[in-house]
């Protein structure tokens, strides 16, 4: 069983940066595909970024490409989301997710087995 807990959310201004962290329990972290999703009230949850276990295996939603960076530290069982040049439309609850996809990347909720409770990010204009 994998348990995930996010941290690092908060209230920032347009153009600011913020780094989210997601700490995982369990001994199989290095074999997991990890992702960040976000959901604004009244909207569907959307894919933000994913990372596999081989170096450089990452992908991003077009809306965040070039601004957000996903990374992982297997020694710390933690996945990060570095968010730069934040915009009001980035406001949402950000959740991390985990699954085993043999280094594949998942882009939809149903591909992920484990979820954190989420951390709220609010970007003011």
């Amino acid at each position: 069983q994998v348990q995930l807990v996010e941290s690092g959310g908060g209230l920032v201004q347009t153009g600011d940066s913020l780094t989210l962290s997601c700490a995982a329990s369990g001994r199989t972290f290095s074999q997991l595909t990890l992702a960040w999703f976000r959901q604004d009230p009244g909207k569907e949850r959307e894919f933000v970024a994913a990372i596999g276990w081989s170096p450089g295996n990452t992908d991003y939603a077009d809306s965040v490409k070039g601004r957000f960076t996903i990374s992982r530290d297997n020694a710390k069982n933690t996945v990060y989301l570095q968010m730069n040049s934040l915009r009001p439309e980035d406001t949402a609850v950000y959740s991390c997710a985990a699954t085993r996809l043999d280094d594949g990347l998942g882009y939809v909720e149903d591909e992920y087995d484990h979820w954190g409770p989420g951390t709220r990010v609010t970007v003011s204009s």
Side-chain angles (χ1 to χ4, degrees), residues 7 16 25 29-30 33 50 53 59 67 78-79 100 102 108 110:
S7 62
D16 284 352
S25 64
F29 182 83
S30 63
T33 289
W53 47 258
D59 204 1
R67 299 188 298 123
T78 301
V79 59
R100 296 190 70 159
D102 293 331
V108 298
D110 290 347

Side-chain angles (χ1 to χ4, degrees), residues 10-91:
L11 172 63
V12 297
Q13 295 184 331
T14 297
D16 284 352
S17 297
L18 200 62
T19 299
L20 305 182
S21 301
C22 176
S25 64
R27 295 175 290 179
T28 61
F29 182 83
S30 63
Q31 300 170 22
L32 297 173
T33 289
L34 303 158
W36 288 94
F37 286 76
R38 67 186 182 186
Q39 186 171 25
D40 206 12
K43 298 182 180 179
E44 293 188 356
R45 184 177 286 176
E46 65 173 351
F47 169 80
V48 176
I51 186 167
W53 47 258
S54 62
N57 188 14
T58 61
D59 204 1
Y60 300 87
D62 288 343
S63 59
V64 307
K65 201 168 290 185
R67 299 188 298 123
F68 290 12
T69 302
I70 188 171
S71 62
R72 64 191 297 164
D73 185 336
N74 290 337
K76 296 183 178 180
N77 277 18
T78 301
V79 59
Y80 303 96
L81 186 67
Q82 171 69 42
M83 305 185 293
N84 298 327
S85 303
L86 283 161
R87 306 166 180 169
E89 53 264 39
D90 295 318
T91 294

